[in-house]
Amino acid sequence: MIFNLLKTAGVDAALITSQYTALYFTGYKNPDCCIFVTPDKCYYLTDARYTNEARKAIPSIFEVIDAGKQFAKTVQNLTAAHKVKRLGLELGSLTYANYKQYEELFEGVKFFDICDNIAKIRITKTESELALIQEACNITDRTFSRVLGEIKEGISELELAYRLQLLLVQEGGEGISFDTICVFGENTANPHGHPSSRQLKYGDPITLDFGAIHKGYCADLTRSFSFGKPTEEYIKVYNIVKEANELAIKGLFAGITGAQADGISRKVIEDYGYGSYFLHSLGHGVGVEVHEKPYLAKSSVDILDNNMVFSIEPGIYTGKFGVRIEDLVTIKDSKAVVLSHSDKKLIII
Ligand SMILES: [Mn+2]
């Protein structure tokens, strides 16, 4: 699959610098690596901190090179040795300083951006990728049901967030797919609030947004619920968000655009008069990266297709509190299949 990239991008060689694309092609997570691909060779450049583990972990088509601190120089040598004239680069994950350095080092080599070609490969999941994401979702669901037992008056947002993360590892997760959002009371009004020392009080709404990583693949789940008796307004808002989530999922088919899917949820929320409180877009793709293509947003032209995985996460943030309900979903035979199995009925603890 990695060799196909050269054909579709029309280049002699490609330099992969995004650690996520490298993870995608190798199954090995490493923040300090790059991959150089020619039509018949794949080189995996890293340094001595990773070489030993990398040689065992990654497929044998990759030749692991200890490039020390000389990545650019090593790539220059490879480019010259393979007589590369057209080089594909991931411009979206390259710093300007790197780009300037490459311009100097690779004289006479023409650069092409291969970000779209890579996104196209990563956007559709194979059956084995789907199974890994499903397992990441299962770990996340089990963690959610266990963390409910940890919720007690007086616990802080930070402590609950860290207890949740411990449970997630106990359930088989290898890490968190992003910084856990755990917010109480008025802090739920911030869609991506940071956990603080704020302590839980009777009657507080709670929002948890988190996910496990399983073999490099991410999950992403949000549930809002109530500690003690919720207000009438909270129940009303909760039911609107639930309806927006469920109708968007029901409306999915192979070929719907990200904008159309976003529009389904947005219309529900607007019709109830809360349109200006839906502060973000409906969803995003999930894979080795927790935010990747396709995007479900007002202006998104991405087309949602079979075997893509993405979140459906409408939310309402009134200023006093917020509610978000997020599931991971895929499309099979032009119908939505929900990968998250946590209950969406309003939980009152
Ligand atoms: Mn999300």
Side-chain angles (χ1 to χ4, degrees):
M1 190 154 27
I2 194 165
F3 294 114
N4 289 343
L5 180 61
L6 304 183
K7 272 183 230 139
T8 56
V11 292
D12 309 326
L15 179 63
I16 287 160
T17 46
S18 149
Q19 61 163 309
Y20 296 104
T21 308
L23 167 63
Y24 176 82
F25 283 121
T26 63
Y28 179 63
K29 191 175 178 176
N30 179 354
D32 288 307
C33 71
C34 68
I35 293 173
F36 187 79
V37 203
T38 73
D40 52 6
K41 283 284 275 181
C42 287
Y43 301 94
Y44 183 92
L45 278 59
T46 185
D47 64 61
R49 293 170 300 165
Y50 299 100
T51 41
N52 201 21
E53 213 178 54
R55 283 195 179 102
K56 283 184 197 141
I58 74 178
S60 57
I61 58 157
F62 292 93
E63 183 183 327
V64 176
I65 298 176
D66 176 2
K69 293 266 171 264
Q70 303 289 323
F71 277 27
K73 192 90 191 100
T74 310
V75 175
Q76 184 197 25
N77 292 340
L78 290 171
T79 307
H82 288 274
K83 300 188 171 50
V84 174
K85 292 271 168 278
R86 299 162 66 86
L87 178 64
L89 295 176
E90 282 185 291
L91 291 186
S93 64
L94 215 56
T95 64
Y96 185 63
N98 278 146
Y99 187 81
K100 295 301 279 181
Q101 186 189 23
Y102 292 173
E103 272 190 330
E104 262 174 45
L105 283 174
F106 308 146
E107 239 199 289
V109 176
K110 223 171 155 210
F111 296 152
F112 296 84
D113 186 15
I114 54 169
C115 284
D116 284 347
N117 305 88
I118 287 171
K120 228 178 197 159
I121 296 172
R122 282 175 46 181
I123 199 170
T124 304
K125 272 63 183 176
T126 63
E127 292 306 316
S128 59
E129 287 182 285
L130 287 176
L132 295 177
I133 297 172
Q134 179 66 73
E135 181 54 20
C137 288
N138 295 347
I139 294 166
T140 304
D141 284 330
R142 293 199 299 268
T143 303
F144 178 66
S145 75
R146 279 186 67 188
V147 82
L148 295 176
E150 304 274 336
I151 294 172
K152 288 172 191 74
E153 194 159 13
I155 194 169
S156 73
E157 293 170 342
L158 270 169
E159 183 178 347
L160 188 62
Y162 277 86
R163 283 181 182 269
L164 179 151
Q165 290 171 187
L166 178 62
L167 292 172
L168 185 142
V169 171
Q170 287 175 351
E171 287 298 332
E174 66 198 35
I176 51 172
S177 49
F178 57 95
D179 288 347
T180 299
I181 295 170
C182 172
V183 280
F184 304 155
E186 64 290 348
N187 293 343
T188 60
N190 305 318
H192 275 197
H194 293 85
S196 70
S197 56
R198 162 75 159 82
Q199 289 178 312
L200 187 63
K201 297 190 299 252
Y202 182 81
D204 274 342
I206 301 176
T207 294
L208 296 178
D209 182 356
F210 68 102
I213 299 177
H214 173 67
K215 297 196 175 162
Y217 282 82
C218 297
D220 193 356
L221 175 81
T222 306
R223 287 294 181 266
S224 292
F225 50 99
S226 185
F227 180 64
K229 196 173 179 298
T231 61
E232 285 303 315
E233 195 192 4
Y234 189 83
I235 296 170
K236 181 183 164 199
V237 166
Y238 188 91
N239 287 328
I240 298 168
V241 173
K242 184 165 168 274
E243 190 177 328
N245 166 290
E246 288 169 344
L247 282 182
I249 290 171
K250 230 173 127 186
L252 292 172
F253 58 88
I256 190 173
T257 66
Q260 284 173 311
D262 179 277
I264 299 173
S265 276
R266 207 162 291 281
K267 179 159 190 327
V268 172
I269 292 172
E270 277 167 3
D271 287 351
Y272 282 105
Y274 285 90
S276 59
Y277 299 118
F278 183 5
L279 300 178
H280 48 75
S281 49
L282 179 64
H284 52 88
V286 173
V288 290
E289 232 170 325
V290 74
H291 293 138
E292 59 179 48
K293 278 189 161 234
Y295 288 99
L296 289 70
K298 260 186 199 168
S299 57
S300 172
V301 293
D302 292 348
I303 290 170
L304 309 181
D305 208 345
N306 289 321
N307 281 38
M308 290 182 184
V309 175
F310 48 86
S311 66
I312 295 287
E313 49 178 311
I316 293 178
Y317 311 89
T318 67
K320 283 182 284 178
F321 65 86
V323 170
R324 178 166 67 256
I325 303 175
E326 173 181 33
D327 295 311
L328 283 198
V329 171
T330 187
I331 304 178
K332 281 275 173 199
D333 302 322
S334 201
K335 283 214 164 47
V337 176
V338 183
L339 306 174
S340 308
H341 299 138
S342 292
D343 208 339
K344 282 186 269 201
K345 219 172 75 210
L346 174 57
I347 296 167
I348 299 169
I349 295 173

